[in-house]
């Protein structure tokens, strides 16, 4: 697995596929492998670059606090370090929060933006959930236990737990198989989630943007998605009527179809514009 130095931090990442670059930013506590169900579809069309954010996976884990703004600056520096001038950018939950600031603070780095299960700024309900995870975390044997016992139930539908128990167990085994996140790094990431506020930055996002949300999402319900869609100029909203917060895992086929349709449309439009510019130049 390649690693690179970014502003004194070692960043671990993975590259698969060929085509225009697509940067995949993980969610809270996860490393680059959280996009395993997307890569078979995405890599047919894009060079997928998935990184471990500082504090996760095999990347360095500096002392906190962390913030989504600092993460965005680190990701922009990462793209420069690996020689990617501009990329399509996709993020889920905390990864989407980072993507918002990346597009606003470093617009030349972002060709399109995909925000999945996202929020612009927290409210009392979201804060209560994250604080619950923070309270529970020191009492459990590992961060993986927190994810499986307290985060999973809010990310998946009751129908999946009842109807597909073996799949729930498989996802739990997958979480336990990944590099363990230290407690202090998990708490630092939750601080980034609690302090995230991109409300003032949304108007600075000028690129085509896809916003997706599960209708049954208890963490980032459509209340946030509608606000994001109203605040970002060139955006479109997709609501997955049967899914919750982690639709990319619960129903990857539906998630991949919707997200890949957007990416291919945007990438095709960009390619046509580049060709037109070349022919008239």
């Amino acid at each position: 697995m390649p690693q690179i130095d970014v502003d004194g931090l070692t960043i671990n990442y993975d590259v698969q596929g060929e085509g225009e670059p697509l940067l995949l930013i993980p969610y809270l506590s996860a490393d680059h492998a959280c996009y395993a169900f997307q890569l078979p579809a995405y890599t047919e069309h894009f060079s997928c670059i998935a990184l471990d954010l500082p504090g996760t996976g095999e990347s360095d884990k500096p002392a906190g606090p962390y913030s989504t703004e600092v993460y965005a600056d680190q990701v922009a520096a990462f793209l420069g370090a690996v020689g990617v001038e501009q990329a399509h950018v996709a993020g889920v939950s905390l990864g989407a929060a980072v993507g918002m600031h990346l597009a606003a603070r470093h617009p030349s780095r972002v060709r399109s933006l995909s925000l999945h299960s996202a929020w612009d700024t927290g409210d009392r309900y979201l804060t209560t959930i994250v604080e619950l995870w923070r309270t529970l975390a020191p009492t459990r044997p590992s961060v993986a236990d927190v994810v499986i016992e307290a985060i999973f139930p809010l990310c998946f539908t009751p129908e999946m737990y009842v109807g597909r128990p073996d799949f729930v167990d498989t996802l739990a085994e997958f979480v336990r198989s990944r590099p363990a996140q230290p407690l202090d790094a998990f708490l630092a990431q939750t601080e980034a989630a609690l302090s995230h506020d991109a409300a003032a930055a949304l108007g600075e996002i000028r690129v085509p943007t896809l916003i997706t949300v599960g209708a049954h999402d208890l963490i980032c319900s459509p209340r946030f998605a509608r606000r994001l869609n109203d605040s970002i100029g060139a955006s479109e909203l997709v609501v997955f009527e049967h899914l919750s917060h982690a639709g990319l895992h619960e129903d990857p086929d539906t998630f991949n179809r919707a997200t890949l349709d957007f990416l291919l449309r945007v990438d095709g439009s960009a390619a046509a514009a580049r060709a037109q510019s070349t022919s008239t130049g």
Side-chain angles (χ1 to χ4, degrees):
M1 194 70 65
Q3 295 184 333
I4 196 165
D5 180 86
V6 178
D7 297 335
L9 293 175
T10 297
I11 302 296
N12 188 65
Y13 66 103
D14 179 47
V15 182
Q16 295 186 41
E18 296 182 358
E20 292 299 314
L22 168 60
L23 178 70
L24 303 172
I25 309 176
Y27 46 80
L28 177 70
S29 188
D31 67 358
H32 68 276
C34 70
Y35 288 100
F37 292 163
Q38 281 60 63
L39 289 177
Y42 288 179
T43 54
E44 291 186 9
H45 308 277
F46 297 95
S47 174
C48 297
I49 307 164
L51 79 163
D52 299 350
L53 290 172
T56 66
E58 300 290 353
S59 290
D60 282 348
K61 299 168 182 65
Y66 300 169
S67 75
T68 51
E69 295 95 331
V70 171
Y71 265 151
D73 294 342
Q74 291 168 336
V75 171
F78 164 79
L79 287 173
V82 298
V84 174
E85 181 177 344
Q86 190 178 61
H88 299 284
V89 174
V92 176
S93 198
L94 182 65
V98 175
M100 294 174 202
H101 283 301
L102 178 65
R105 296 164 73 93
H106 306 276
S108 66
R109 291 289 186 194
V110 180
R111 179 168 295 170
S112 74
L113 185 61
S114 297
L115 305 175
H116 310 302
S117 305
W119 79 102
D120 53 348
T121 184
D123 57 16
R124 183 172 180 176
Y125 185 82
L126 179 60
T127 298
T128 300
I129 289 175
V130 177
E131 290 289 3
L132 173 64
W133 296 338
R134 289 172 57 83
T135 300
L136 180 65
T139 74
R140 307 309 299 139
S142 70
V143 171
D145 290 286
V146 180
V147 172
I148 294 163
E149 296 171 12
I151 297 181
F152 267 22
L154 294 175
C155 289
F156 299 112
T157 62
E159 289 76 14
M160 190 179 97
Y161 267 78
V162 173
R164 303 165 66 192
D166 291 345
F167 184 53
V168 176
D169 292 341
T170 297
L171 291 175
E173 292 170 7
F174 176 76
V175 170
R176 295 193 189 281
S177 75
R178 303 308 304 162
Q181 184 180 36
L183 175 61
D184 59 349
F186 174 77
L187 293 175
Q189 276 206 309
T190 59
E191 289 172 353
L194 288 171
S195 64
H196 172 65
D197 186 351
L202 297 181
E204 301 300 316
I205 298 175
R206 311 293 187 189
V207 295
T209 300
L210 173 67
I211 301 159
T212 74
V213 65
H216 301 282
D217 189 340
L218 294 176
I219 302 172
C220 295
S221 75
R223 72 189 187 281
F224 291 124
R226 288 189 290 266
R227 199 159 67 199
L228 289 167
N229 193 42
D230 289 341
S231 300
I232 299 174
S235 65
E236 54 189 87
L237 173 62
V238 173
V239 178
F240 300 120
E241 296 294 342
H242 63 301
L243 295 175
S244 182
H245 192 68
L248 78 166
H249 299 320
E250 184 164 352
D251 185 355
D253 289 342
T254 296
F255 181 90
N256 293 349
R257 279 195 301 270
T259 57
L260 194 55
D261 172 75
F262 168 78
L263 288 166
L264 292 175
R265 280 190 285 112
V266 171
D267 195 59
S269 298
R274 291 193 296 271
Q276 178 66 24
S277 176
T278 300
S279 65
T280 58

